[in-house]
Amino acid sequence: MSEFIDYGNYDFESARNSNFIDKSGLINVLNMSIKTEGKFMCVSRPRRFGKSIAAKMAYAYYDRSSKSEELFEGLEITKSPNFKTHLNKYPTIYIDWNKFATYDHKTVVKEAQRKIVSDMKESYDFLEEKESLANALFEINKKTGERFIMIIDEWDMLVRDEDIETRDEYVNLLRALFKSNSANKLFLLVYMTGILPIIKYKTQSALNNFREYSIINPGVTAKYYGFTKDEVRRLCEENDMDFTLMQHAYDGYIIGDQKSIFNPNSVMQSILFRNYNSYWSKTASFMAIESYLNVDADYVRTKIINMMNGEEEYVRVSSFRNNMTDIETSDDVLTLLAHLGYLSYNPETQAVKIPNNEVAEEFENAIRMAGWKEVSKAVELSMHLLNDTVNLKADKIAKAFDTYHFEVSSILEFNDENSMACAIMLAYSSARAFYKIYRELPTGKGFADMVFVPLPKSPRPAIVIELKYAKSATTAIDQIRKKNYPASLKGFSKRIILVGINYNKEEAKHEVEMEVIEG
């Protein structure tokens, strides 16, 4: 059986027999591109966002050797009047570059072409054992008049992982296939997927005839990769899972006009194992980002800390060259992290943020390995601080903040209540696993500086923190009482802990007062 052409719809059959979320509307987008100026398409998304399943679905739909009508029964695409127009009508080539991951990087481009051409001889016995895939396809077209649909998964594997010589050889292969004078005649549709958009040389795209649909600018493809809020809510109802906990762990991506996209792999793992743990490290290690955290170090460090505190950071995405080697500025770092799925990009604010608790945990792992000693120590002490807060140990909390102030003074300045809030948010970073944390939350008659609302089914108390700079902890507690901040939290927890924190600038010490509201 062929591996790259005329091999059947078995991959999509397996997907349909699993817990399948209908993304078949994507095929309408592809169909509208066939034989048009938009027929060269590149879709980039992070790992485990459904790119491979979408590619297998597209192959099963177009492949002339398959009979896929039953596999698509009940799916959105069948409602299209053009559903049968393109169904199983074309010679369709499917190349997953992961199949060549074990090849010698110095010869992988040539050897992969030989493998594909040799495989295609089963369908076209007149082919010779040529090393050029482009020449083989042009020969088929010349002799048979056939025009191809080509689907390439993980198109950027060699761009991400190989040396410059291999990268250039691979890009030249793509140019030979898709930038030649005969490319329009040869291909009906080319659909590539990967993590990165098409690589740039100097200021130009290597394949500027492609329409790119990235996580930064997804266009009409936005809802077809990742799970929407409605899809996850339905999965939670069907599998007796808590939607709020699922949202806290895996939501937070903004992709184009889709304001709430979940990591699909993590959602499915959560359902399978009946928990809300982090599954990010199973698909992408912190080692993938560790080296980038010290590029343009001062700016990157400040921005990462702000985002760990729940803030957004503006990023200029236009300078990014769509590869993982030419990373020179904090903008390059943050843009790359968005493409890798470590950050979510908001097109309206042109800013990035850490999307959810799962990814926040991965950042904590990364900063430990990146040599950020002060921040790493604060994160490590965070769980002790949270436990001392729950157990009303005011003196220990005050001493912890005195030590913490000294440790982080090189990266954060305590010069007003807002800077205190940034520092204290970082100090309580471990609380994200148990709480939804709000800054300046409207409660009672005003805005509480920090509020920790326990996640559903949690026995933990709610926590209200009021900060004062060069005043007193008593003043902070009095303000909580006077403005009745706890009033709106009684439905979330039977126990509410009030914490007043003051920084005494003259003595360089913190003062902490605490109270508990029961019932």
Side-chain angles (χ1 to χ4, degrees):
M1 181 184 295
S2 173
E3 289 184 62
F4 302 98
I5 190 171
D6 296 335
Y7 72 82
N9 56 21
Y10 305 105
D11 289 340
F12 186 55
E13 179 183 48
S14 297
R16 282 291 275 139
N17 290 333
S18 304
N19 208 340
F20 181 74
I21 297 295
D22 184 4
K23 299 289 185 177
S24 64
L26 173 66
I27 293 175
N28 269 328
V29 176
L30 303 183
N31 284 345
M32 288 188 292
S33 300
I34 290 176
K35 299 181 183 179
T36 72
E37 291 184 353
K39 64 177 169 287
F40 296 101
M41 304 175 62
C42 181
V43 176
S44 57
R45 294 292 190 279
R47 285 186 175 91
R48 302 301 186 185
F49 261 66
K51 302 186 301 295
S52 293
I53 290 179
K56 292 169 182 175
M57 175 181 69
Y59 183 85
Y61 177 76
Y62 292 117
D63 171 38
R64 66 185 175 185
S65 73
S66 299
K67 294 182 179 179
S68 301
E69 186 169 355
E70 288 188 7
L71 277 180
F72 284 92
E73 185 176 350
L75 299 184
E76 179 184 347
I77 184 59
T78 61
K79 300 175 184 177
S80 170
N82 297 319
F83 170 60
K84 293 186 179 181
T85 303
H86 305 287
L87 179 66
N88 301 137
K89 295 291 177 63
Y90 306 113
T92 305
I93 301 168
Y94 185 98
I95 301 173
D96 179 355
W97 277 97
N98 274 330
K99 288 187 175 182
F100 306 107
T102 59
Y103 281 42
D104 185 330
H105 75 273
K106 293 182 180 179
T107 60
V108 62
V109 178
K110 288 184 174 65
E111 292 302 320
Q113 290 182 81
R114 289 195 185 103
K115 171 67 174 173
I116 296 167
V117 172
S118 176
D119 180 79
M120 292 179 67
K121 281 177 62 65
E122 293 188 25
S123 298
Y124 303 96
D125 57 8
F126 56 82
L127 284 180
E128 298 178 5
E129 295 286 346
K130 296 182 177 181
E131 70 174 35
S132 170
L133 176 59
N135 287 345
L137 294 179
F138 293 142
E139 183 177 346
I140 294 170
N141 177 257
K142 181 178 179 180
K143 289 189 176 183
T144 68
E146 291 182 350
R147 302 176 70 186
F148 294 95
I149 287 180
M150 180 174 279
I151 298 170
I152 301 179
D153 197 13
E154 301 291 348
W155 85 268
D156 57 333
M157 187 192 79
L158 300 183
V159 173
R160 298 193 313 262
D161 300 332
E162 301 298 337
D163 58 30
I164 294 176
E165 290 77 11
T166 301
R167 184 179 74 184
D168 289 349
E169 185 180 6
Y170 173 61
V171 171
N172 286 334
L173 166 62
L174 298 180
R175 282 173 166 159
L177 285 168
F178 308 129
K179 287 282 287 183
S180 70
N181 292 332
S182 302
N184 280 320
K185 177 183 177 182
L186 186 60
F187 295 106
L188 297 167
L189 174 72
V190 176
Y191 168 62
M192 301 198 309
T193 72
I195 295 174
L196 297 177
I198 291 172
I199 190 170
K200 295 179 181 178
Y201 283 93
K202 296 183 179 179
T203 60
Q204 298 297 319
S205 168
L207 297 168
N208 57 13
N209 57 330
F210 272 74
R211 290 186 179 175
E212 297 190 62
Y213 304 88
S214 71
I215 198 167
I216 301 294
N217 188 24
V220 295
T221 69
K223 65 180 180 180
Y224 296 119
Y225 304 88
F227 290 168
T228 66
K229 182 182 291 187
D230 289 341
E231 289 166 345
V232 174
R233 196 186 303 277
R234 186 165 61 250
L235 281 170
C236 288
E237 291 171 355
E238 292 171 353
N239 293 278
D240 193 27
M241 300 289 286
D242 190 290
F243 174 75
T244 302
L245 294 177
M246 194 76 78
Q247 190 173 35
H248 179 70
Y250 314 122
D251 188 13
Y253 293 96
I254 299 172
I255 302 181
D257 60 358
Q258 299 297 308
K259 306 303 183 186
S260 179
I261 292 290
F262 291 65
N263 181 319
N265 178 70
S266 297
V267 169
M268 300 311 293
Q269 295 282 358
S270 173
I271 291 171
L272 178 63
F273 292 104
R274 313 297 301 172
N275 59 41
Y276 307 91
N277 294 342
S278 173
Y279 296 98
W280 187 265
S281 59
K282 304 291 193 304
T283 61
S285 168
F286 62 83
M287 293 177 66
I289 65 170
E290 174 193 341
S291 61
Y292 301 111
L293 298 185
N294 289 317
V295 173
D296 201 6
D298 290 340
Y299 287 107
V300 169
R301 184 175 302 198
T302 300
K303 291 176 180 180
I304 294 294
I305 290 171
N306 287 340
M307 288 188 289
M308 290 181 70
N309 288 335
E311 303 295 325
E312 280 191 339
E313 283 291 331
Y314 170 78
V315 59
R316 187 169 61 92
V317 300
S318 59
S319 66
F320 183 58
R321 296 181 64 185
N322 298 353
N323 65 64
M324 300 176 71
T325 56
D326 300 317
I327 306 297
E328 300 174 352
T329 67
S330 61
D331 286 325
D332 292 339
V333 173
L334 298 188
T335 304
L336 173 61
L337 293 179
H339 284 293
L340 295 176
Y342 288 93
L343 298 175
S344 173
Y345 177 76
N346 186 337
E348 294 180 0
T349 61
Q350 300 180 46
V352 289
K353 68 174 183 178
I354 296 174
N356 52 49
N357 187 61
E358 180 183 46
V359 180
E361 287 184 16
E362 199 60 27
F363 268 100
E364 291 180 8
N365 291 332
I367 64 175
R368 290 188 184 100
M369 303 302 295
W372 296 13
K373 294 181 180 179
E374 300 89 349
V375 182
S376 181
K377 185 171 183 179
V379 170
E380 289 175 3
L381 294 174
S382 178
M383 184 58 73
H384 296 293
L385 179 62
L386 179 61
N387 289 337
D388 288 340
T389 303
V390 171
N391 293 314
L392 306 178
K393 297 182 178 179
D395 290 343
K396 293 187 70 173
I397 296 171
K399 290 179 181 178
F401 277 125
D402 289 343
T403 302
Y404 175 70
H405 183 156
F406 177 77
E407 294 287 348
V408 303
S409 60
S410 62
I411 52 176
L412 291 172
E413 295 183 1
F414 289 55
N415 52 20
D416 57 28
E417 290 174 16
N418 184 62
S419 61
M420 279 182 66
C422 291
I424 290 173
M425 279 285 285
L426 182 63
Y428 276 106
S429 60
S430 65
R432 286 191 303 264
F434 313 101
Y435 292 90
K436 184 71 174 177
I437 304 177
Y438 299 92
R439 284 187 61 185
E440 299 293 333
L441 181 71
T443 52
K445 300 177 182 177
F447 294 81
D449 285 334
M450 299 170 63
V451 176
F452 295 15
V453 179
L455 295 175
K457 302 178 183 178
S458 171
R460 289 178 174 268
I463 302 172
V464 180
I465 299 177
E466 186 65 24
L467 306 174
K468 295 298 176 186
Y469 184 83
K471 294 180 182 177
S472 73
T474 300
T475 302
I477 288 288
D478 287 344
Q479 181 172 322
I480 294 174
R481 288 199 220 96
K482 182 179 179 181
K483 297 192 175 181
N484 199 20
Y485 290 160
S488 60
L489 298 177
K490 290 187 177 180
F492 293 95
S493 177
K494 294 181 179 179
R495 190 167 187 251
I496 303 173
I497 295 176
L498 314 183
V499 185
I501 303 174
N502 177 64
Y503 178 62
N504 187 320
K505 184 179 179 181
E506 293 182 359
E507 297 183 11
K509 288 184 177 296
H510 294 79
E511 304 162 349
V512 177
E513 286 195 20
M514 307 180 74
E515 288 187 11
V516 178
I517 297 176
E518 303 281 2

